[in-house]
Amino acid sequence: MSVRVRRIYDPPEADDGLRVLVDRLWPRGLAKDEAHIDEWPKGLTPSTELRKWYHAGEGSYEEFRRRYEAELDAPEAAELLDGLRKSVREGRVTLLTASRAPERSQAAVLAELLKRTR
């Protein structure tokens, strides 16, 4: 039972477990059959507005995290998050993102939440 964050562009590893893409947009230059993802819960990703705000450099990671956690309280996102928590209890989950800084992305926020609530 563990959760980790990796870049979608890194080759899959045998111990990845359930591979979940947590980006709203499909990663550039990556063919779908090369991604080896198991799930792509778009309802769990940051809203387009929040994503654009953060990538425009208008706010800090801490503010992004706070706003994203608030979005995760919405019914659809909360239900998807609960499903992901169940998957983590059943085995390893690898959260995938195209972000160049995965440690400061929505994947890191999700990983932190999942580790806190196992």
Side-chain angles (χ1 to χ4, degrees):
M1 295 191 325
S2 68
V3 60
R4 69 178 176 174
V5 174
R6 297 188 63 219
R7 291 197 73 221
I8 186 74
Y9 300 108
D10 296 336
E13 295 181 359
D15 65 344
D16 278 348
L18 183 72
R19 292 172 51 90
V20 181
L21 179 61
V22 294
D23 290 347
R24 184 166 295 263
L25 303 176
W26 186 260
R28 282 188 192 159
L30 185 66
K32 292 195 180 194
D33 60 335
E34 294 173 1
H36 303 282
I37 63 167
D38 298 306
E39 294 182 10
W40 186 16
K42 292 180 188 177
L44 195 59
T45 64
S47 67
T48 299
E49 297 78 20
L50 180 57
R51 181 180 52 78
K52 287 181 177 183
W53 172 84
Y54 184 52
H55 291 296
E58 295 179 19
S60 67
Y61 173 71
E62 291 73 24
E63 180 65 15
F64 167 76
R65 183 178 60 218
R66 187 188 68 70
R67 291 181 183 195
Y68 181 41
E69 286 181 8
E71 287 186 355
L72 291 172
D73 287 336
E76 179 188 2
E79 184 177 328
L80 289 167
L81 187 57
D82 285 343
L84 207 48
R85 284 184 180 111
K86 181 180 177 196
S87 295
V88 169
R89 286 192 294 273
E90 293 171 356
R92 170 163 276 175
V93 172
T94 299
L95 303 176
L96 302 165
T97 181
S99 173
R100 289 187 181 130
E103 69 281 355
R104 298 183 64 74
S105 70
Q106 69 275 5
V109 175
L110 286 171
E112 182 181 311
L113 288 173
L114 293 169
K115 288 175 182 176
R116 263 193 267 157
T117 57
R118 282 196 277 199

